[in-house]
Amino acid sequence: MSSVPTDLLPHPIVQAPMAGGVSVPQLAAAVSEAGGLGFLAAGYKTADGMYQEIKQLRGLTARPFGVNLFLPQPETADPAAVGVYAHQLAGEAAWYETELGDPDSGRDDGFDAKLAVLLDDPVPVVSFHFGVPAREVLESLRRVGTFTLVTATTADEARAVERAGADAVIAQGVEAGGHQGTHRDAAEADGSGIGLLSLIAQVRESVGIPVVAAGGIMRGGQIAAALAAGAAAAQLGTAFLATHESGAHALHKQALTDPLYVRTELTRAFSGRPARGLVNRFLREHGPYAPAAYPDVHHLTAPLRRAAARAGDAQGMALWAGQGHRMARELPAGRLVEVLVAELASARTALSAGGAR
């Protein structure tokens, strides 16, 4: 089985890059120091903002870490549909006493500028979300010694990742919190996501590069299951969202285990792209008619989400979370890695004992 180099992560645990201020340098450093692979999320940041966080992280740890980039998005949104959605959100803007954002605030997330920084001052690992970078991009990163990963949600997408020359693929199951990393945002595919264990098996039979499993993983036993299914490592996001070092809003952390939030759902309400979050008022009221328009809707609703956070109103926030959110543990991130490693070892011992009978 192909694997991720052990010098990058002594333990097969990757902290998912969570954009929006969650994956701060302190979180990534704590995970890397504990033997996992910490990640910074460059999404929604400027190139300089990303660079400053990398500098800060390097001051906190000498261990390997990763940086995640969002791929530029094609102009496929229907401006009329976005306009209708803006009209439907007018009441939210009035309620939170703020203006809606400009849906035309940019589609490339500063990709070229961020890539230039990462080529000029390389980091150990770079991952990509929302598509497959050009082969030239992946080759340029390889030349400077960077290990590359790309998210895929189907076996076909995984094959595209391998053809492009990535070093590994992140197989993201439908259980995952936050945005699904589909390569093409097709509204007709909504609701057709694949569960993680099935996806790992399909991807393992489709590609020869290492597979990192992502989606709903909260315990070491689940990591053991993913590894047994053919993954080389597991990527956990929601599990780290509740940790002490996470930059998530306190209301977001509390909501993970609050009995008020009984389930998650994939929605386009906040960004125009399918993303899994806790079902709150905003999601219930606006999810059914939110258009397929990313990042237009993300820009449109950004002021609303910020205003809701300032007001302490979790019902108007994007509470991204995977299906295992009720299993979140409020621990220091390094301690969580230690607990997961112990659980993984225990699960492997149990599996070996069962096979020896």
Side-chain angles (χ1 to χ4, degrees):
M1 183 189 306
S2 54
S3 62
V4 178
T6 54
D7 62 325
L8 293 179
L9 63 165
H11 303 306
I13 297 171
V14 179
Q15 166 245 313
M18 294 168 280
V22 178
S23 296
V24 293
Q26 292 81 359
L27 174 59
V31 172
S32 290
E33 282 290 299
L37 182 65
F39 252 95
L40 293 175
Y44 310 135
K45 291 185 175 72
T46 63
D48 184 63
M50 177 194 74
Y51 177 65
Q52 294 304 321
E53 287 205 345
I54 292 172
K55 283 178 59 178
Q56 186 180 352
L57 177 53
R58 283 178 168 146
L60 296 171
T61 182
R63 294 286 309 148
F65 62 89
V67 174
N68 176 254
L69 299 180
F70 288 168
L71 269 296
Q73 298 301 290
E75 294 188 26
T76 57
D78 178 1
V82 175
V84 169
Y85 194 53
H87 177 74
Q88 292 164 329
L89 293 177
E92 297 281 353
W95 175 257
Y96 289 115
E97 298 181 337
T98 189
E99 299 292 327
L100 294 174
D102 179 5
D104 298 318
S105 296
R107 316 194 62 80
D108 67 358
D109 199 48
F111 181 83
D112 290 340
K114 292 172 185 176
L115 180 63
V117 170
L118 295 172
L119 291 174
D120 182 62
D121 190 6
V123 300
V125 181
V126 170
S127 68
F128 299 87
H129 211 54
F130 297 147
V132 184
R135 173 175 287 276
E136 297 73 34
V137 169
L138 295 170
E139 289 178 346
S140 65
L141 287 166
R142 181 175 291 109
R143 284 195 295 271
V144 297
T146 297
F147 188 89
T148 56
L149 305 95
V150 181
T151 301
T153 62
T154 66
D156 282 344
E157 289 182 348
R159 283 189 284 269
V161 170
E162 184 176 47
R163 285 195 301 271
D167 294 310
V169 59
I170 300 168
Q172 184 194 40
V174 73
E175 304 94 332
H179 284 90
Q180 293 286 294
T182 51
H183 295 180
R184 187 175 70 88
D185 185 18
E188 62 271 18
D190 285 3
S192 63
I194 303 170
L196 180 58
L197 286 179
S198 294
L199 182 61
I200 294 171
Q202 292 176 32
V203 171
R204 281 300 316 151
E205 293 188 3
S206 301
V207 301
I209 56 177
V211 177
V212 175
I217 300 175
M218 303 292 288
R219 296 286 187 266
Q222 292 172 287
I223 298 174
L227 300 183
Q235 178 174 279
L236 292 74
T238 306
F240 285 104
L241 197 152
T243 59
H244 297 180
E245 294 89 346
S246 160
H249 193 287
L251 289 176
H252 194 169
K253 293 184 179 184
Q254 294 163 13
L256 295 175
T257 54
D258 187 335
L260 179 64
Y261 302 98
V262 298
R263 65 188 179 88
T264 63
E265 189 174 295
L266 286 169
T267 184
R268 294 180 180 271
F270 297 101
S271 71
R273 232 184 189 276
R276 184 174 297 282
L278 301 174
V279 176
N280 60 4
R281 177 194 61 79
F282 195 101
L283 190 155
R284 285 193 302 271
E285 293 182 2
H286 303 295
Y289 54 78
Y294 177 86
D296 311 63
V297 171
H298 163 77
H299 296 314
L300 190 69
T301 67
L304 299 178
R305 290 177 275 126
R306 288 194 293 266
R310 287 195 300 269
D313 182 10
Q315 294 297 327
M317 297 168 58
L319 303 174
W320 302 136
Q323 288 183 342
H325 65 94
R326 300 300 292 274
M327 301 167 72
R329 297 179 279 204
E330 296 182 18
L331 296 170
R335 176 58 183 156
L336 178 57
V337 173
E338 293 173 359
V339 171
L340 290 167
V341 169
E343 291 174 345
L344 171 58
S346 178
R348 282 175 153 170
T349 298
L351 286 170
S352 297
R357 291 196 186 104

